[in-house]
């Protein structure tokens, strides 16, 4: 499809597609993302739409993507529950000293990282999101995410090197 054809479909069907996604996901940002993904697939040329069935196709595409998002969330929630159970078991085995060191490291990071670097670190390592997911969540490029992670890891290395020398 040409860019002009996709723009025409966008102007004609965006509101209805967004409303459907919002009804299924209850999240404005995710709903916008889903609709954007449908149009991105049209722009990429991987998907073709006939003019007489465009509305049905676009709404079905939104519905399927929303169902995928919901299913992905359910899998992540199950994984998080299992991980929480596992971490509870492991936490009981960890020494108090290791827990204190981790808390001290987190305080150090909060005091020495920019808010953006702290958020990138939190999403990437504590929420276990991919770099692409972090970039999308923060509306920045993947390169920006990598830059913040590189700076953060350098500060962690510095922290551990200075604390290992002191001991």
């Amino acid at each position: 499809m040409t860019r002009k054809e996709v723009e025409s479909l966008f102007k004609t069907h965006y509101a209805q597609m967004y409303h459907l996604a919002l009804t299924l996901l209850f999240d404005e940002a995710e709903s916008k993302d889903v609709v954007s993904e449908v149009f991105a697939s049209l722009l990429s040329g991987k998907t073709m739409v006939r003019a007489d069935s465009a509305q049905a196709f676009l709404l079905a595409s939104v519905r399927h993507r929303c169902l995928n998002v919901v299913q992905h969330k359910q899998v992540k929630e199950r994984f998080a529950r299992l991980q929480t159970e596992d971490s509870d078991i492991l936490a009981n085995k960890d020494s108090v000293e290791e827990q204190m060191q981790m808390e001290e490291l987190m305080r150090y990071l909060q005091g020495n990282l920019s808010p953006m670097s702290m958020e990138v670190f939190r999403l990437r390592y504590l929420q276990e999101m991919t770099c692409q997911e972090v970039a999308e969540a923060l509306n920045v490029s993947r390169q920006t995410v990598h830059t913040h992670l590189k700076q953060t890891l350098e500060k962690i290395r510095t922290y551990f090197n200075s604390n290992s020398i002191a001991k």
Side-chain angles (χ1 to χ4, degrees), residues 52-134:
D52 62 335
S53 62
Q55 181 180 11
F57 175 82
L58 293 171
L59 292 174
S61 295
V62 167
R63 181 179 172 275
H64 288 290
R65 287 183 188 267
C66 288
L67 294 175
N68 287 342
V69 168
V70 169
Q71 184 179 23
H72 181 70
K73 279 183 180 180
Q74 290 171 342
V75 168
K76 283 177 81 172
E77 287 172 6
R78 282 195 305 253
F79 180 74
R81 275 196 305 266
L82 289 173
Q83 192 175 20
T84 301
E85 292 170 6
D86 288 346
S87 65
D88 289 345
I89 292 168
L90 291 174
N92 293 332
K93 293 180 182 178
D94 286 342
S95 71
V96 173
E97 183 178 322
E98 287 173 341
Q99 289 176 2
M100 288 173 56
Q101 287 174 343
M102 185 56 74
E103 290 171 4
E104 185 179 333
L105 172 62
M106 291 306 293
R107 280 192 300 276
Y108 170 80
L109 291 177
Q110 288 171 342
N112 291 287
L113 294 179
S114 68
M116 176 62 91
S117 291
M118 192 64 203
E119 186 64 9
V120 168
F121 176 79
R122 185 185 70 75
L123 292 174
R124 175 67 181 103
Y125 293 111
L126 303 178
Q127 297 295 321
E128 298 182 355
M129 294 172 78
T130 65
C131 289
Q132 183 63 40
E133 290 171 332
V134 173

Side-chain angles (χ1 to χ4, degrees), residues 118-167:
M118 192 64 203
E119 186 64 9
V120 168
F121 176 79
R122 185 185 70 75
L123 292 174
R124 175 67 181 103
Y125 293 111
L126 303 178
Q127 297 295 321
E128 298 182 355
M129 294 172 78
T130 65
C131 289
Q132 183 63 40
E133 290 171 332
V134 173
E136 290 170 2
L138 298 176
N139 198 26
V140 297
S141 70
R142 275 184 64 201
Q143 184 58 46
T144 300
V145 171
H146 286 286
T147 301
H148 282 281
L149 289 174
K150 181 180 177 186
Q151 292 169 351
T152 301
L153 293 175
E154 186 57 40
K155 287 186 180 191
I156 290 172
R157 277 188 208 96
T158 301
Y159 170 80
F160 279 114
N161 288 338
S162 67
N163 282 340
S164 65
I165 294 170
K167 291 184 179 181

